[in-house]
Amino acid sequence: MKKDILILGIETSCDETAAAIVRNGEDILSNIINSQVKIHQEFGGIVPEIASRKHIENIAAVVDLGFKEAGLDYRDIDAVAVTNTPGLVGALLVGLSFAKSFAYTLDKPLIAVNHLHGHIYANFLEHRNIEFPAVSLVVSGGHTSLIYMKDTGQFELIGQSRDDAAGEAFDKVARFLGLGYPGGPAIQEAARNGKAGLVKLPRVFLDRNDFEFSFSGLKTAAMNLWNKVKKGSNCTVNDIAAEFQAALVEVLVEKSIGAVQKYQAKSLMIAGGVAANEKLRTMMKNRAQDEGIPLYYPSLLLCTDNAAMIAGNAYYHYIHGHFAPLDTNAYPGLSSL
Ligand code: KG4
Ligand code: ZN
C-alpha cells in the first residue's frame, strides 16, 4: 500500500500567521489561520513592521495548534513546507526561519513554496479532476496574473497587471470611499446596496487583444467620481462601489475566458483573495458555462491566505524530490510568478 505523505505548511507572507497539515496534497487535517486584520484595520492597511512582530509572537502557538487539531505528533510529518516568495520580506523571514529550525530539529526535508503557486493549488484541495492544460487567474492583494499551466507544476505567465493588482485597487478605492479595510469585502458589501451602470467607469484594456491588465486608471476614475458625489451628484457611494466592482470583474472575466480559448485549455481556475468576490465567482461561472469551460474556484476560506494551500502545493514538490537547502532565502520579488 502507498504510504501517506503528511506535510506541515507554514504561511506568513502577509498578515496571516497560518499553519496546516495536509495528507497527499488533498486532505486537510488541520488549517489554522491567525489573522491580524483587526490590528492593521486601525491603520487602514498593513503595517509591515507590525506584521513581522505579530508573526513572531504567534507562529509557535499556531503550528502547535495545527498538530493538535490534526491529532498528530511533530515526528509524524514527512516534510515542512513554507512560503518563501513573494510577500513582505520581514514577514516571510519569520515563517522561513521557523520552518528551517523545525525541519532541522526533526530531521525532515524543507520545501520552499511560491505563494502564488499555493493559491492556485488551493483548487486541488477541493477538486479532484482538474484537467491540463489549464489557465489560472491569480487575483490577490499583490498580483493579477493569468498563468498557463501545460501540466502540474508548470507555470507560464501570459499576462499581468501593469500597475495596481486587483486586490490593491479594491483596497485603495475602499479606503478613499471611506468603506474600511480590507477593501474587497467592504466594496462587495456596499455594492449590494448600489446599482452598477448608473455612472460609467472604464473597462480598461478590455478591447485589447492581449492578457495585460491595468487598474490604476479605473481606481482614479472611481475616486474622481466620489469627489463629484461629495459635491452633490445624485449617485451614492454604493453605486460607485457597484460600478467599480462590475468594471474590474468584467475585465477579469473576459480576459480569462479569452485566455482559455486562445490556449485551448481544458480548465480554468481562479485563485487568491479576490477570487472570494461573489460577483467575480458568479460572472465567471455564467461565462464559463456559456462557453462550456470547466471552472474551478476554492471555497471562501481557501481563497484568502492560508497554509493548507502551501502544504497542498508542497506535495507535488515532495513527490518530485524538490527539496530546499537550509540556507534558502526569502524573496519579496513583487512580480515573481
Ligand atoms: O490572497 P490574499 O489573502 O493576500 C495576498 O496574497 O495578497 O488577498 C488579499 C486581497 C485583499 O486585497 C482583499 O481586499 C481581497 O483580497 N479580497 C477581496 C475579497 N476578499 C478579499 N476582494 C474582492 N472581494 C472579496 N470578497
Ligand atoms: Zn495571498
Side-chain angles (χ1 to χ4, degrees), residues 94-107:
V94 177
L96 183 61
S97 311
F98 188 93
K100 284 180 185 176
S101 333
F102 209 78
Y104 178 75
T105 312
L106 292 168
D107 197 21

Side-chain angles (χ1 to χ4, degrees), residues 199-215:
V199 284
K200 200 72 189 154
L201 287 170
R203 274 63 176 160
V204 182
F205 285 4
L206 188 59
D207 52 349
R208 284 170 56 131
N209 202 13
D210 61 18
F211 303 110
E212 299 292 297
F213 300 91
S214 166
F215 295 121

